[in-house]
Amino acid sequence: MNCLKKHLPCFLLTALLLALCGCKGVPNGPVDAALAYHFDAPAAIWEESFPLGNGRIGVMPDGGIAHENYVLNEISMWSGSPQNADNPTASASLPEIRRLLFAGQNDKAQELMYRTFTCGGLGSNGANSYDKPYGAYQLFGNLVIEFENSGDSVCDYRRELCLDNAIATVGYTQGDVTFSRETFTSFADDVAVIRLKASQPQSFSVSYNRHSNKPMQEPVCRAWNGTIDIQGQLPDGTEAEGNPLRGMAYGGLVKVLLPQGGQVTDNNDRLVVTDAEEAIILVAMKTNYWGDDVMEATKRLISQAEAKPYAELKKAHLAAFRKLFRRVKVDFGHRAEREAMPMDKRQLAFANDHDDPSLLSLYYQFGRYLLISSTRPGSLPPNLQGLWANTIKTPWNGDYHLNINLQMNLWPAEKGNLAELHEPLIDWTCQQVESGRHTAKVFYDARGWVTHILGNLWQFTSPGEGVSWGATNTAAAWLCAHLYQHYLYSSDKEYLQRAYPVMREAALFFVDMLVEDPRSHYLVTAPTTSPENSFLMSGGKKVSVCAGSTMDNQIVRELFSNVIDAAETLHIDKAFADTLATCRARLMPTSVSPDGRIMEWLEPFVEAEPTHRHVSHLYGLYPAHEISTADTPQLAEAARQSLQVRGDESTGWSMGWKVNFWARLHDGDHAYKLLTDLLRPCRTDGFNYSNGGGTYPNLFCAHPPFQIDGNFGGAAGIAEMLLQSQCGYIEILPALPSAWKEGSVSGLCVEGGAEVDFDWKGGKWQHFCLRAKVAHVHRIHTHGVAVTCKLNGRELSVTSRGMLEIPMKAGDVLSMDPLQTDL
């Protein structure tokens, strides 16, 4: 699975260097109270329960009193199977589709595509493919604990998630009995662990359910010897009604341990515990996606975990989790009375008064927490819901949408010092290549590999079943941007050698697929769309299909440039690099329309929806860096005009994207305004877009419904406001909002393989520390501030007030301070 597994060198810096340079290093102290949030009542909806995960399994406890439900998830819990999605009429119809587009008959081209250029079969079946070949990500099931409720009133209820230890707790008093529970998904032992304690012996039952509404899809569940055994199979989508299932096999074990006495008995499909003051419940979950014998694997996990005392399980979990989480620390200040509020009330207070700085630092760290919890090396990348789902029919199949959503999930990884969590996306991308080659040949008669908007576990790379949204063909190129970004942050040439063939084949596809538009003589991607958006033809008809789009050009230009740079770095493939340079020169540049905005299409079409959630034509501003305030100020201004017309109001993930746009435009106050919009309270409104996006009480992002990409986009945006390095130099506080008057950051990463710490006061940075992981010449833009520098504790002679260039070796530590006269 780890086809591009990287081997980044790790360097431990000596305490002497850190002391000499005044750098904070990685925080190793006690738990920070600002990294926790709580409620004063059980969860009334799923979006009030706490997400726990270890990158493969997930648990969401609701903190109930008489009845507690734990939603269980496993990242590979997918129905469906590989399918033949070829359309034999596709490549033959391509010349006529292009002729119609070049003749300005986009509507007729789109009609022809619906007949000839969609995937064969059902595709994603209108985002309802839980029992169809495309498949869907589904919940593993529910673990239910039912307590013998005394009926006494409850007081002192508190339900809390601490991001610093990835443990959810519940505590309350009922009558004269005090109850407490702890739940975590172990990063060390790969099982879910639940500890229940009471001040007096208690009785309760433990059961499992997974209601599919189809008897053939119900798992087999039995209790034996203090254990619940779960065995099931998902549909592969080809079974006739009533026939046995042939899809993914899954299984689990639930083990109850009683360390302080009591009794556990088996009762059909449930366990009954009596007279126990403490119980430990272990839950193991597996599928056969990675070739495991499901039951043997779960038995092994339970056997290893039950041999350890609870304290040892917890200690190992904390050490493994904190190795990732504690790499970064962010402090924007504190307001104690807000931090003491339950989160639902705190959100309401924030909506009326934004003076709650630690809520924003908590939100950033929550994004990192979700990424750590929803993926890990050797696993799968986070899907539309990370790895958390409470239904069988997950919205949009819980799949991998490739026209921004999957990519956005990994935006916080590199800068957030979680580079290894990029690996599952890189591995998944590699797995699409073989299928993508086939799709390139069948649909475009082209070499190389391609994929479109839809992605699953079964290498689906064909266009979607709907042309208006499913015809975008630059997803592979966008994925390859992540492959190259991983190199830019690591400078690992061995990794780049492994990534290069995947990037090269994605570029090769466009060498073959690009065609000259006879009207402009530019090379264009035809047919294509600007993702999910549409324009009006002269008669008012709404159409999506076009000959080239601005986003396509920006992505293809970026891909060609990355492959050219990679070939030069590796000293290989010069002839192919020259071919790409020739093609790149023939792409239409990003252009400004007469009204001062970036053109979304290569023709002056009228937008059908000017405030559309996708802002695809600004890909070159973020995540790419074709547009910048320093190098392309006219395009940057046009991007600003585009954003103002698009508006701030949108879905959750779109507002998260816009935070990054405004950060790249160095407008910290507008980026901050969008963060406050993103954090506005949102209840469950299903698929109702009319209320716009926001944040659910448990801090999940609301599209609505829940979509995790908004969390990751918002977190990436906060980091982008604090630190940028995409233009070949480091900028400190490029988009600091006036609300963050003082603060500090440690552990963020920059391109070139280094970590940084810095603090600020009165809107100006006070101290900056750069720790090099690999050899690199780092450029730092001081924006006219005179500075003093020390490298490994020794004074450097610095004369420039603009751009510093500091050659550094692995393990070097640079500290930089502004001269007092410039403060």
Side-chain angles (χ1 to χ4, degrees):
M1 294 291 290
N2 294 308
C3 62
L4 290 183
K5 190 170 180 63
K6 66 175 182 58
H7 300 282
L8 277 175
C10 295
F11 296 94
L12 298 176
L13 301 173
T14 64
L16 175 61
L17 283 182
L18 291 174
L20 286 170
C21 298
C23 295
K24 303 174 183 120
V26 177
N28 292 305
V31 171
D32 182 351
L35 289 173
Y37 66 100
H38 72 279
F39 295 93
D40 58 5
I45 56 174
W46 179 61
E47 293 85 355
E48 288 181 352
S49 54
F50 292 132
L52 300 166
N54 69 358
R56 188 186 69 82
I57 62 172
V59 175
M60 292 187 68
D62 67 8
I65 295 171
H67 171 112
E68 179 155 27
N69 191 80
Y70 298 77
V71 176
L72 307 177
N73 295 113
E74 205 277 356
I75 190 68
S76 64
M77 189 79 170
W78 264 82
S79 60
S81 57
Q83 60 176 301
N84 179 358
D86 293 351
N87 188 330
T89 66
S91 63
S93 69
L94 198 54
E96 177 62 9
I97 292 168
R98 288 171 170 167
R99 186 194 69 79
L100 291 168
L101 290 172
F102 297 149
Q105 297 177 301
N106 298 60
D107 53 345
K108 292 184 178 178
Q110 182 163 303
E111 291 167 6
L112 178 58
M113 287 184 69
Y114 268 103
R115 296 195 303 270
T116 65
F117 213 84
T118 58
C119 60
L122 297 173
S124 65
N125 194 44
N128 186 27
S129 197
Y130 74 101
D131 61 352
K132 301 298 186 291
Y134 180 82
Y137 180 64
Q138 304 182 12
L139 90 162
F140 188 91
N142 298 283
L143 184 73
V144 180
I145 301 178
E146 295 181 89
F147 300 91
E148 284 191 358
N149 195 345
S150 65
D152 293 333
S153 61
V154 172
C155 62
D156 301 325
Y157 183 96
R158 184 181 179 93
R159 182 167 58 91
E160 181 175 280
L161 174 63
C162 178
L163 304 186
D164 192 49
N165 60 24
I167 297 176
T169 58
V170 178
Y172 58 90
T173 299
Q174 188 172 28
D176 58 352
V177 182
T178 300
F179 295 85
S180 66
R181 301 174 213 147
E182 287 188 338
T183 306
F184 59 90
T185 49
S186 174
F187 278 75
D189 292 282
D190 209 16
V191 295
V193 182
I194 304 166
R195 184 180 70 167
L196 301 91
K197 294 190 72 175
S199 59
Q200 298 177 21
Q202 299 294 310
S203 299
F204 58 89
S205 67
V206 181
S207 61
Y208 164 90
N209 67 68
R210 186 179 189 272
H211 301 306
S212 67
N213 298 322
K214 289 190 176 183
M216 290 297 296
Q217 296 185 16
E218 291 294 325
V220 176
C221 184
R222 68 186 180 99
W224 59 277
N225 196 27
T227 303
I228 298 175
D229 181 337
I230 305 156
Q231 297 184 50
Q233 196 151 14
L234 298 175
D236 72 0
T238 66
E239 305 95 343
E241 187 69 31
N243 283 4
L245 302 181
R246 298 191 297 243
M248 187 89 74
Y250 65 93
L253 286 179
V254 180
K255 180 74 174 182
V256 175
L257 307 173
L258 303 178
Q260 295 188 36
Q263 185 176 6
V264 57
T265 56
D266 310 326
N267 184 3
N268 296 320
D269 60 353
R270 66 180 53 219
L271 301 173
V272 178
V273 176
T274 53
D275 298 326
E277 292 186 21
E278 180 179 5
I280 310 296
I281 302 174
L282 304 175
V283 185
M285 295 173 270
K286 278 283 188 178
T287 76
N288 65 347
Y289 175 68
W290 285 285
D292 292 307
D293 180 313
V294 170
M295 295 318 298
E296 286 301 315
T298 53
K299 287 176 183 177
R300 182 171 61 253
L301 288 171
I302 292 294
S303 177
Q304 293 168 351
E306 69 176 326
K308 303 175 183 180
Y310 178 79
E312 186 177 332
L313 288 170
K314 184 176 177 179
K315 181 180 179 180
H317 160 74
L318 291 176
F321 170 74
R322 287 174 172 170
K323 184 179 179 181
L324 295 168
F325 185 79
R326 285 193 167 186
R327 291 175 183 172
V328 171
K329 186 174 182 180
V330 177
D331 186 354
F332 297 149
H334 299 273
R335 189 175 173 186
E337 65 270 26
R338 289 288 183 88
E339 293 174 5
M341 288 182 176
M343 183 50 72
D344 51 344
K345 298 177 177 64
R346 187 177 181 183
Q347 278 185 286
L348 289 171
F350 183 77
N352 295 315
D353 173 7
H354 300 327
D355 184 16
D356 188 354
S358 63
L359 180 60
L360 275 301
S361 56
L362 176 73
Y363 189 78
Y364 172 70
Q365 291 286 33
F366 185 65
R368 293 183 68 250
Y369 167 86
L370 290 177
L371 188 58
I372 295 167
S373 301
S374 61
T375 191
R376 70 187 191 193
S379 186
L380 290 162
N383 59 49
L384 281 171
Q385 297 197 172
L387 56 62
W388 298 280
N390 67 332
T391 64
I392 289 171
K393 298 181 180 180
T394 310
W396 292 288
N397 295 318
D399 70 357
Y400 297 117
H401 269 40
L402 305 179
N403 61 3
I404 187 172
N405 312 94
L406 174 58
Q407 293 90 335
M408 184 183 280
N409 286 358
L410 277 299
W411 285 356
E414 299 289 345
K415 189 176 294 185
N417 211 334
L418 298 170
E420 62 267 62
L421 301 188
H422 229 150
E423 291 179 20
L425 175 67
I426 294 167
D427 292 342
W428 185 87
T429 300
C430 294
Q431 293 160 20
Q432 311 312 304
V433 172
E434 183 177 353
S435 172
R437 288 189 191 119
H438 181 79
T439 297
K441 185 65 178 175
V442 169
F443 281 83
Y444 301 93
D445 194 22
R447 297 171 295 171
W449 76 283
V450 66
T451 190
H452 297 79
I453 181 178
L454 298 173
N456 60 12
L457 258 60
W458 316 117
Q459 292 78 55
F460 187 97
T461 57
S462 297
E465 66 270 24
V467 171
S468 63
W469 53 266
T472 304
N473 50 43
T474 46
W478 193 337
L479 290 167
C480 285
H482 283 259
L483 270 64
Y484 196 63
Q485 184 192 51
H486 194 55
Y487 164 73
L488 291 176
Y489 273 83
S490 69
S491 299
D492 185 344
K493 291 184 181 179
E494 290 185 11
Y495 159 77
L496 185 60
Q497 287 176 332
R498 296 188 292 276
Y500 181 79
V502 179
M503 296 166 55
R504 185 189 193 278
E505 281 203 59
L508 179 62
F509 168 75
F510 289 103
V511 169
D512 284 3
M513 186 266 191
L514 288 169
V515 61
E516 181 179 301
D517 186 332
R519 300 167 296 179
S520 66
H521 304 294
Y522 285 119
L523 294 179
V524 297
T525 50
T528 191
T529 66
S530 185
E532 302 186 39
N533 206 355
S534 57
F535 54 88
L536 300 176
M537 296 189 67
S538 57
K541 182 180 288 187
K542 186 186 295 187
V543 179
S544 299
V545 173
C546 58
S549 69
T550 296
M551 187 199 75
D552 278 14
N553 280 9
Q554 292 171 348
I555 291 179
V556 173
R557 192 157 36 237
E558 178 188 44
L559 173 65
F560 284 179
S561 297
N562 290 346
V563 174
I564 290 168
D565 291 346
E568 182 178 354
T569 298
L570 298 173
H571 305 293
I572 59 173
D573 223 3
K574 185 177 185 306
F576 185 65
D578 290 344
T579 298
L580 296 184
T582 300
C583 292
R584 181 179 61 184
R586 295 192 61 196
L587 296 171
M588 178 175 165
T590 299
S591 302
V592 180
S593 65
D595 65 1
R597 293 183 289 155
I598 300 290
M599 291 177 61
E600 183 161 357
W601 296 273
L602 307 191
E603 301 173 62
F605 293 132
V606 176
E607 301 149 303
E609 187 182 348
T611 58
H612 196 270
R613 61 193 177 276
H614 283 265
V615 198
S616 304
H617 50 311
L618 299 192
Y619 176 93
L621 177 62
Y622 189 94
H625 55 88
E626 175 182 301
I627 302 171
S628 71
T629 56
D631 297 331
T632 60
Q634 289 181 325
L635 290 180
E637 179 56 31
R640 181 186 299 271
Q641 294 297 322
S642 298
L643 287 169
Q644 287 173 345
V645 172
R646 213 60 153 203
D648 294 342
E649 178 75 19
S650 195
T651 60
W653 66 263
S654 180
M655 290 192 290
W657 193 4
K658 291 172 184 175
V659 175
N660 291 274
F661 287 143
W662 287 104
R664 285 283 172 92
L665 292 174
H666 292 185
D667 192 334
D669 284 336
H670 203 132
Y672 179 80
K673 187 265 183 188
L674 273 154
L675 283 172
T676 65
D677 290 346
L678 183 59
L679 276 163
R680 66 188 172 200
C682 185
R683 297 292 291 187
T684 50
D685 294 315
F687 289 85
N688 180 7
Y689 298 125
S690 61
N691 293 332
T695 297
Y696 291 119
N698 67 353
L699 298 185
F700 272 173
C701 183
H703 181 299
F706 163 49
Q707 233 178 255
I708 203 168
D709 43 11
N711 288 105
F712 294 136
I718 291 172
E720 201 69 23
M721 295 162 72
L722 301 173
L723 182 69
Q724 295 180 20
S725 63
Q726 73 281 353
C727 291
Y729 52 84
I730 297 168
E731 281 192 282
I732 311 164
L733 302 177
L736 185 70
S738 54
W740 297 342
K741 294 178 173 56
E742 58 183 74
S744 63
V745 168
S746 66
L748 291 182
C749 292
V750 294
E751 291 184 9
E755 295 181 7
V756 302
D757 306 338
F758 56 90
D759 52 43
W760 67 92
K761 189 174 183 179
K764 297 181 179 180
W765 64 271
Q766 303 292 300
H767 177 74
F768 176 82
C769 175
L770 181 73
R771 299 186 296 277
K773 298 178 181 178
V774 297
H776 188 77
V777 178
H778 287 280
R779 303 171 72 224
I780 306 170
H781 204 317
T782 66
H783 291 286
V785 176
V787 299
T788 61
C789 292
K790 292 181 180 180
L791 185 64
N792 300 332
R794 296 183 178 181
E795 196 86 31
L796 292 179
S797 176
V798 177
T799 58
S800 172
R801 279 175 171 259
M803 192 76 70
L804 304 182
E805 289 195 6
I806 312 291
M808 298 180 71
K809 304 184 302 295
D812 281 353
V813 180
L814 173 77
S815 77
M816 186 173 75
D817 295 278
L819 286 175
Q820 292 300 309
T821 56
D822 281 351
L823 288 176

